[in-house]
Amino acid sequence: MDYQKKLKEWYEHYEARYKKAVSLHIDEGSRHYQAFKEIEKRYSALYITLHFYREIPRILAGEEAEKLIKSYIIVILKTLFFGEVIKNEDGKTECIHPWLKINKSDAEKVEAYEDAILARKHLSVIDFERTDTEQFADEIREDLFHVVNWYLIAREMVYPVTK
């Protein structure tokens, strides 16, 4: 799958919706304000993600690659995150979405969730000593795609803005 192409499609979709909403001068008093803010959040996250996708090879070739890559990932995930962060009984951080339930018969959502869990594990143990930068960049892109994909699906389940 061409992850960058799919992200670009999503970005263009939310960019068009964001620009339309801005042209309508939606303000806090509007009944559409919450939807506008949700579209803006997704648009912003996708913009940052696409920028990061293009910059990964340059970042990996430079100094402070670990710091920059982790910073980008944190900004993207903080933009899309909703829910609560807790420490579990093992002292590990967990993200809780108590109101989000996935029907097991919805294979697409189940698969997206499972892919995101695996990708998050990969992203949390990145080996920055690797020398195969092209393959490394592709793996980061793929993992980030799966996490962003899940968050977009999850956000749509909780804060629907689809027409």
Side-chain angles (χ1 to χ4, degrees):
M1 172 185 268
D2 185 345
Y3 299 112
Q4 190 164 351
K5 182 179 178 184
K6 189 69 175 166
L7 285 168
K8 189 167 173 40
E9 287 174 19
W10 294 338
Y11 169 77
E12 289 171 351
H13 169 78
Y14 284 107
E15 179 184 39
R17 293 191 67 194
Y18 176 75
K19 287 180 177 181
K20 181 179 180 185
V22 168
S23 74
L24 296 173
H25 306 289
I26 295 172
D27 62 10
E28 292 179 22
S30 170
R31 67 184 177 98
H32 301 291
Y33 185 72
Q34 292 301 326
F36 167 68
K37 294 308 283 182
E38 182 61 26
I39 290 166
E40 180 180 51
K41 185 175 289 279
R42 296 177 198 186
Y43 167 62
S44 299
L46 289 165
Y47 176 84
I48 295 165
T49 303
L50 283 170
H51 179 75
F52 178 55
Y53 260 52
R54 289 188 297 271
E55 292 295 312
I56 290 173
R58 185 190 61 76
I59 292 170
L60 287 173
E63 294 180 26
E64 299 187 344
E66 181 175 0
K67 179 180 173 183
L68 288 170
I69 286 174
K70 286 181 178 181
S71 295
Y72 265 104
I73 292 170
I74 288 168
V75 167
I76 293 164
L77 297 184
K78 278 186 175 181
T79 303
L80 290 172
F81 179 75
F82 61 98
E84 184 180 351
V85 179
I86 65 164
K87 294 277 186 189
N88 67 18
E89 59 274 359
D90 299 327
K92 294 183 179 179
T93 302
E94 281 190 37
C95 302
I96 306 297
H97 302 111
W99 60 88
L100 187 62
K101 300 217 185 286
I102 306 168
N103 188 338
K104 289 186 183 213
S105 66
D106 191 339
E108 180 184 344
K109 288 178 184 167
V110 170
E111 182 180 356
Y113 176 75
E114 290 171 352
D115 288 346
I117 294 297
L118 184 59
R120 187 173 175 269
K121 288 178 184 176
H122 291 164
L123 290 170
S124 67
V125 293
I126 296 173
D127 176 13
F128 287 94
E129 301 301 317
R130 291 177 58 173
T131 56
D132 57 337
T133 56
E134 192 166 319
Q135 176 67 29
F136 188 24
D138 287 343
E139 289 172 14
I140 292 170
R141 287 183 184 111
E142 180 179 356
D143 289 335
L144 186 58
F145 172 84
H146 289 302
V147 174
V148 168
N149 179 44
W150 167 247
Y151 271 114
L152 290 174
I153 290 169
R155 292 193 74 84
E156 185 61 31
M157 291 170 63
V158 177
Y159 308 110
V161 294
T162 303
K163 284 188 168 184

